[in-house]
Amino acid sequence: MSSDGTIRAVIATTTELVELARQKHDLSFTATAALGRALTAGALLAPILAREGQVALKFQGNGPLGRVVVDASPRGTVRGYVENPQVELPLNSVGNFDVGGAIGQKGYLHVTIDHGFGEPQQSTVELASGEVGEDINRYLVTSDQTGSIVVIGTHLNKNGVEAAGGLIVQLLPDHTEDTICKIENNITTFGTFTFLMRRGMDLQTILSRILHGFDVTPLTEVKPVSFYCKCSRERFLEALKILPHEDLMDMAEEDGKAEGRCQFCNELYLVEKEGLLDIARSK
Ligand SMILES: [Zn+2]
């Protein structure tokens, strides 16, 4: 929070988190860039929108990537997937991964905020460009009624994710046109988020560059963020136990096993014939 009360910012580096998502889902470069930005957006939005509980983002565009789904908690855990992880597109006209083309310029961003109590709060905005950062910005302006500057970047090389991260600066009621100009000038002068990360700068230094000219006081301590999925073998077994006895017997006799793959983290759970029969008998 700036001491003049004009801005509040959340900043995160997500390189390891995005690299783990890339490996788990065997993502193409384009899909890594798209999901990487969406995962970073989740990590940044969760502490802004939900003190407890979680925030879920679903980008449903008309591009070849299909759905891009992320959920994130303010505790720093984030997970997500894309519907078609192998889609690869040529670089766009400015030499970047074509995230907008992959997600699609037409479609919707659905945001669900679960505060951990009561009914979850849902809102939908039309995609601004499918580039993620601009879509999140549109959501914050239309649904959350706050002007903001959203900077999200994912830089890849042939070995994987080299740098990923971003920040959301929320403009508070006392801000002026000069506040926005100052931040935009800083980004032009000092470079983009991933450019600063690739030069080895830590979060504090990047924040001081992008918010140069503002006197900033940290409101919360630095927290780790990680790719974490709450699926488990136990949950898979619980799901099987709900099935009718005869379905379990059919599965055991006809397939000889039951398989389930978690959409969010791509983990495969397998129960062999004997295990299925045990569950069927215990019912
Ligand atoms: Zn999972």
Side-chain angles (χ1 to χ4, degrees):
M1 174 86 88
S2 65
S3 60
D4 61 2
T6 55
I7 54 165
R8 185 169 62 176
V10 178
I11 186 166
T13 56
T14 53
T15 308
E16 286 175 29
L17 147 62
V18 177
E19 172 59 17
L20 193 58
R22 184 187 74 81
Q23 292 174 11
K24 280 183 181 292
H25 292 294
D26 191 20
L27 300 170
S28 69
F29 287 107
T30 312
T32 306
L35 184 59
R37 288 188 199 172
L39 290 165
T40 304
L44 293 168
L45 281 176
I48 294 175
L49 300 176
R51 294 227 170 102
E52 307 285 332
Q54 67 165 32
V55 171
L57 308 175
K58 185 165 84 174
F59 296 82
Q60 183 81 64
N62 63 343
L65 217 49
R67 275 192 317 277
V68 178
V69 180
V70 163
D71 65 43
S73 81
R75 296 172 299 286
T77 57
V78 189
R79 61 179 190 164
Y81 66 92
V82 301
E83 194 176 354
N84 301 309
Q86 300 297 326
V87 166
E88 198 73 272
L89 293 186
L91 298 181
N92 64 16
S93 58
V94 287
N96 285 334
F97 292 107
D98 191 5
V99 172
I103 290 180
Q105 273 97 18
K106 286 203 165 59
Y108 297 95
L109 165 62
H110 305 279
V111 180
T112 308
I113 307 168
D114 181 349
H115 292 285
F117 53 87
E119 283 294 300
Q121 190 185 325
Q122 292 186 323
S123 38
T124 296
V125 291
E126 277 186 42
L127 293 176
S129 63
E131 294 281 344
V132 178
E134 289 165 15
D135 307 312
I136 297 297
N137 200 11
R138 176 174 281 185
Y139 162 75
L140 288 170
V141 171
T142 55
S143 295
D144 208 45
Q145 310 275 313
T146 45
S148 59
I149 296 169
V150 181
V151 183
I152 294 175
T154 315
H155 190 85
L156 314 175
N157 61 29
K158 64 180 186 346
N159 301 319
V161 182
E162 193 185 343
L167 90 160
I168 293 177
V169 181
Q170 286 185 290
L171 302 164
L172 301 177
D174 285 343
H175 83 276
T176 62
E177 197 52 40
D178 182 51
T179 313
I180 304 169
C181 284
K182 258 199 319 206
I183 298 169
E184 286 176 345
N185 276 339
N186 288 342
I187 295 171
T188 312
T189 311
F190 296 115
T192 61
F193 194 94
T194 46
F195 172 79
L196 298 175
M197 276 189 72
R198 285 162 64 211
R199 296 188 62 193
M201 287 185 194
D202 60 19
L203 273 184
Q204 212 61 49
T205 316
I206 296 174
L207 194 63
S208 67
R209 291 285 198 286
I210 294 179
L211 299 185
H212 180 74
F214 294 91
D215 179 25
V216 179
T217 318
L219 289 180
T220 53
E221 75 282 22
V222 175
K223 282 191 208 164
V225 290
S226 60
F227 190 100
Y228 171 79
C229 189
K230 53 195 168 207
C231 71
S232 67
R233 186 172 173 77
E234 285 64 37
R235 281 182 186 233
F236 181 57
L237 291 175
E238 288 304 319
L240 285 176
K241 283 178 192 165
I242 297 167
L243 296 176
H245 181 269
E246 61 194 66
D247 288 10
L248 289 163
M249 294 303 284
D250 284 354
M251 236 189 260
E253 296 308 331
E254 284 166 27
D255 307 329
K257 63 182 177 184
E259 268 185 4
R261 195 178 281 282
C262 173
Q263 221 172 4
F264 275 97
C265 71
N266 215 24
E267 186 74 33
L268 180 70
Y269 295 103
L270 176 70
V271 176
E272 302 285 0
K273 184 175 179 177
E274 233 359 87
L276 280 172
L277 291 174
D278 283 346
I279 297 170
R281 280 187 215 112
S282 70
K283 285 179 78 78

